[in-house]
Amino acid sequence: MIASIEIRTRGQGLYEITDRVEAVVAQAGIDSGLCTILIQHTSASLTIQENADPSARRDLERWLARLVPEDDPLFTHRAEGPDDMPSHVKAALTSTTLSIPIAGGRLALGAWQGIFLWEHRRQGRPRTCVIHLGA
Amino acid sequence: MIASIEIRTRGQGLYEITDRVEAVVAQAGIDSGLCTILIQHTSASLTIQENADPSARRDLERWLARLVPEDDPLFTHRAEGPDDMPSHVKAALTSTTLSIPIAGGRLALGAWQGIFLWEHRRQGRPRTCVIHLGA
Amino acid sequence: MIASIEIRTRGQGLYEITDRVEAVVAQAGIDSGLCTILIQHTSASLTIQENADPSARRDLERWLARLVPEDDPLFTHRAEGPDDMPSHVKAALTSTTLSIPIAGGRLALGAWQGIFLWEHRRQGRPRTCVIHLGA
């Protein structure tokens, strides 16, 4: 089964989408199977990270922003602004697709794991994830 | 269903393989499902990136080459030359497997997304990707 | 089919789990299909790397430890010690889920590929991977 969800971001940052994905799994009524998520963009990405302490996500964002700064003279691809090319690099270093087993009708994530959409562009925008559910 | 494709690279760089994977999906006649790709190497990798403006890919390659330079004195694994160990690091930072939903008989990629094989070795060689297609 | 395996780590490093995963595939008696692995932690991760020469894995570990050092003043998330936040960054840069085709009753890995659990915390602990096997 294929579904898709839209997430409207409000600028750079990690947006938890675990509940959105769980809702798709629940609606499909799948007890045991596999849930695969693809984000249909190359300037935003996916990651599974700690969803308890927000300081972990803040540090992660700041660390990656420092590794891939906007004012890098190496970048020539600047058509959409200085945050364009860093977004592609950050996406390449994280994930575009994730596959999560489903057990007992729920995503089999660890106790502290959440699924996050990582917006790398300064300006928020609607982002689409395609979800495949299989047996 | 399992298939495999061989891509002959001509040195370092990003090689788009979207059409090759689409051809496998089309031949299998799958309307809705999941396509998983594994690259059977540890000195080349996979990534989903922008397939419109080639400057984005060029910047991405140059950025990663600068992050993981060949002449790093940290590297002791040099049996196959100075580009050997950087290749493994680059592969670990990108992807070895990707899973892409299939909808309407086609890969459900975003409008600007392409699947790329990323050759990290200086010398081109034949590379094999194994493809699994499921319902 | 869903299974889970526990791996007891003994501190930072790459632990090969290929045999453990192969055993789950063999026990399930699946000839052709897909094996997906999720590690249920955010301070350890998964990677497919060379399993022949141990110097490649040692260099990879040392390279990532240098990229993400413990004493980085940027990190504020230190509740569990100085190795806590670097662990989350390292996990984000590598993989939390991997999907590997199964052919002829075995994982369709390349000749030199192995699946590794990457422990990023100084102190070893039990780690759980959930495995989904599909047709």
Side-chain angles (χ1 to χ4, degrees):
Chain A
M1 202 208 84
I2 302 278
S4 87
I5 57 173
E6 188 180 290
I7 298 97
R8 181 163 280 278
T9 63
R10 303 170 303 278
Q12 291 176 329
L14 287 156
Y15 296 81
E16 183 158 13
I17 61 169
T18 316
D19 287 354
R20 299 287 302 275
V21 181
E22 283 279 17
V24 173
V25 173
Q27 197 166 8
I30 290 178
D31 184 64
S32 174
L34 185 68
C35 171
T36 297
I37 313 165
L38 164 83
I39 185 165
Q40 287 189 312
H41 310 276
T42 62
S43 58
S45 57
L46 299 172
T47 192
I48 293 176
Q49 268 296 318
E50 180 173 321
N51 66 356
D53 184 347
S55 69
R57 298 199 293 279
R58 201 168 48 230
D59 283 2
L60 181 61
E61 286 179 45
R62 291 172 59 223
W63 189 91
L64 195 61
R66 189 184 59 189
L67 183 73
V68 196
E70 289 194 358
D71 56 358
D72 190 330
L74 181 146
F75 295 140
T76 63
H77 177 79
R78 296 178 178 280
E80 292 187 39
D83 59 330
D84 185 4
M85 196 55 223
S87 299
H88 296 306
V89 175
K90 290 171 179 174
L93 294 177
T94 53
S95 297
T96 298
T97 77
L98 293 173
S99 291
I100 301 161
I102 301 166
R106 294 182 62 86
L107 298 169
L109 292 166
W112 311 110
Q113 287 183 315
I115 308 166
F116 292 86
L117 184 159
W118 201 336
E119 175 61 73
H120 302 302
R121 299 302 306 269
R122 284 177 167 274
Q123 197 178 333
R125 56 197 71 199
R127 299 298 199 175
T128 304
C129 291
V130 180
I131 298 174
H132 174 267
L133 300 175
Chain B
M1 202 209 85
I2 302 277
S4 87
I5 57 174
E6 188 180 291
I7 299 96
R8 180 163 281 279
T9 64
R10 303 170 302 278
Q12 291 175 328
L14 288 156
Y15 296 82
E16 183 158 13
I17 61 169
T18 316
D19 287 354
R20 299 287 302 275
V21 181
E22 283 279 18
V24 173
V25 172
Q27 196 166 8
I30 290 179
D31 185 63
S32 175
L34 185 68
C35 171
T36 298
I37 313 164
L38 164 83
I39 185 165
Q40 287 189 311
H41 310 275
T42 61
S43 57
S45 57
L46 299 172
T47 192
I48 293 176
Q49 268 297 319
E50 179 172 321
N51 66 357
D53 185 346
S55 70
R57 298 198 294 278
R58 200 167 49 231
D59 284 2
L60 181 62
E61 287 179 44
R62 291 173 60 222
W63 189 92
L64 195 61
R66 189 185 59 188
L67 183 73
V68 196
E70 289 194 359
D71 56 358
D72 190 331
L74 181 144
F75 295 139
T76 64
H77 177 79
R78 297 177 177 280
E80 291 186 40
D83 60 329
D84 187 3
M85 196 56 223
S87 299
H88 295 306
V89 175
K90 290 171 180 175
L93 294 177
T94 53
S95 298
T96 298
T97 77
L98 293 172
S99 291
I100 301 161
I102 301 165
R106 294 182 62 86
L107 297 170
L109 292 166
W112 311 110
Q113 287 184 315
I115 308 167
F116 293 86
L117 184 158
W118 201 335
E119 176 60 74
H120 302 301
R121 299 302 307 269
R122 284 178 168 273
Q123 197 178 333
R125 57 196 71 199
R127 298 298 198 174
T128 303
C129 291
V130 179
I131 298 173
H132 174 267
L133 300 175
Chain C
M1 202 208 85
I2 302 278
S4 88
I5 56 174
E6 188 181 290
I7 298 97
R8 180 162 281 280
T9 64
R10 303 171 303 278
Q12 291 176 329
L14 288 157
Y15 296 82
E16 183 158 14
I17 61 169
T18 316
D19 287 355
R20 298 288 301 276
V21 181
E22 283 279 17
V24 173
V25 172
Q27 197 166 8
I30 289 179
D31 185 64
S32 174
L34 185 67
C35 172
T36 297
I37 313 165
L38 164 82
I39 185 166
Q40 287 189 312
H41 309 276
T42 61
S43 57
S45 57
L46 298 172
T47 192
I48 293 176
Q49 268 296 318
E50 179 173 321
N51 66 356
D53 184 347
S55 69
R57 298 199 293 279
R58 201 166 49 230
D59 283 2
L60 181 62
E61 286 180 45
R62 291 172 60 223
W63 189 92
L64 195 61
R66 189 184 59 189
L67 183 73
V68 195
E70 289 193 358
D71 56 359
D72 190 330
L74 181 145
F75 295 140
T76 64
H77 178 78
R78 297 178 176 280
E80 291 186 39
D83 59 329
D84 186 4
M85 196 56 223
S87 299
H88 295 306
V89 175
K90 290 171 180 174
L93 294 177
T94 53
S95 298
T96 298
T97 77
L98 293 173
S99 291
I100 302 162
I102 301 165
R106 295 182 61 87
L107 297 170
L109 292 166
W112 311 110
Q113 287 183 316
I115 309 166
F116 293 86
L117 185 159
W118 201 336
E119 176 60 73
H120 301 302
R121 299 303 305 269
R122 284 178 167 274
Q123 197 179 331
R125 57 197 71 199
R127 298 298 200 175
T128 303
C129 291
V130 179
I131 297 174
H132 173 267
L133 300 175

